[in-house]
Amino acid sequence: MELYTLTDIIKNSAALYPDNEAFKCDNFSVSYKELDIKTSQLAKCLIDSGVKRGDRVGVYLNRCIETAIAIYGILKAGAAYVPIDFTAPHSRTRSLIENCDIEFLVTSDKQKRKITSLVDSHSALKGIIGFSQDLPIQTISWDVVFNTSLENYEAPKIIEDDLAYVMFTSGSTGVPKGIMHTHYSGLSYAKLSARLYNVNPNDRVANHAP
């Protein structure tokens, strides 16, 4: 199967290695088949909430299985994900949200205090996914996401030139700058790395990035 977008990786791996572990964090893991289903459920929730192709969605999570689900679920919705450091100062987070016109965040209840503060101070946010507490704006818990029916669900058409993610610089030399990557550029980097290090389906790769 030819790969053209980052989401093709999930569909391809789910077909070839459905029961293989896709991600593992602490004592939790998810297979490629489970990842394909869960990311589609998240994508449907995002689309039903109003997320459109080309929108930017914030990922406001620590390292966990839900982080991987968030990334690929956002991509499946046709949107681009923007990693947001939950340990960053409130002012930086607000600036990043405004810079990217982010209206939806994917997070967890662990970020309750910070999410509540962000919502109170940022009227542009329309929805928080992965959050079970009541807020003045729409919230959808992970339990609701993972019980979403995929009946009649049709994923939006994604092409390789679509924006996939925005990575911000540290801002140590001034204002943080967002570097935009398409599916093509992200997938090209993944393919290059896999070839360079001869990665095969039996390998496990550790993630040490923030």
Side-chain angles (χ1 to χ4, degrees):
M1 177 180 179
E2 187 64 38
L3 304 177
Y4 296 101
T5 68
L6 291 168
T7 55
D8 286 341
I9 298 174
I10 303 301
K11 291 183 289 185
N12 185 51
S13 297
L16 294 174
Y17 318 105
D19 299 322
N20 285 17
E21 277 188 334
F23 290 98
K24 182 174 183 179
C25 184
D26 295 327
N27 295 321
F28 301 97
S29 66
V30 61
S31 69
Y32 282 110
K33 181 179 179 180
E34 291 170 333
L35 183 64
D36 191 35
I37 293 171
K38 290 178 183 294
T39 51
S40 293
Q41 289 172 317
L42 176 57
K44 187 175 188 301
C45 284
L46 289 168
I47 293 169
D48 289 347
S49 296
V51 172
K52 304 178 295 299
R53 180 180 172 188
D55 285 353
R56 277 75 60 201
V57 177
V59 178
Y60 199 66
L61 284 160
N62 58 329
R63 296 181 196 170
C64 56
I65 293 296
E66 286 76 17
T67 307
I69 294 170
I71 287 172
Y72 286 100
I74 292 168
L75 292 175
K76 278 189 175 183
Y81 70 88
V82 183
I84 303 175
D85 183 2
F86 65 92
T87 66
H90 187 81
S91 58
R92 176 185 166 103
T93 301
R94 284 192 60 189
S95 175
L96 192 152
I97 290 173
E98 292 171 358
N99 186 277
C100 288
D101 292 325
I102 291 173
E103 296 182 341
F104 290 87
L105 291 178
V106 181
T107 187
S108 74
D109 287 335
K110 292 181 179 179
Q111 309 303 331
K112 178 181 177 180
R113 182 178 60 81
K114 295 182 179 180
I115 286 294
T116 302
S117 178
L118 277 175
V119 171
D120 288 344
S121 64
H122 207 287
S123 59
L125 288 172
K126 294 182 178 179
I128 308 294
I129 313 297
F131 197 73
S132 61
Q133 312 295 319
D134 288 332
L135 291 172
I137 61 176
Q138 178 189 26
T139 61
I140 301 175
S141 70
W142 282 111
D143 284 341
V144 170
V145 172
F146 296 148
N147 282 286
T148 297
S149 171
L150 293 177
E151 186 177 359
N152 299 323
Y153 165 67
E154 185 174 347
K157 177 66 176 177
I158 304 169
I159 61 174
E160 58 185 7
D161 288 332
D162 283 345
L163 182 65
Y165 56 97
V166 182
M167 302 291 286
F168 274 79
T169 61
S170 64
S172 58
T173 58
V175 179
K177 302 170 185 64
I179 311 302
M180 299 187 295
H181 287 273
T182 63
H183 281 264
Y184 179 82
S185 63
L187 187 57
S188 295
Y189 173 74
K191 288 179 177 179
L192 174 65
S193 299
R195 288 196 300 268
L196 180 63
Y197 298 107
N198 196 29
V199 177
N200 67 70
N202 296 317
D203 289 330
R204 289 176 176 265
V205 181
N207 172 34
H208 61 275

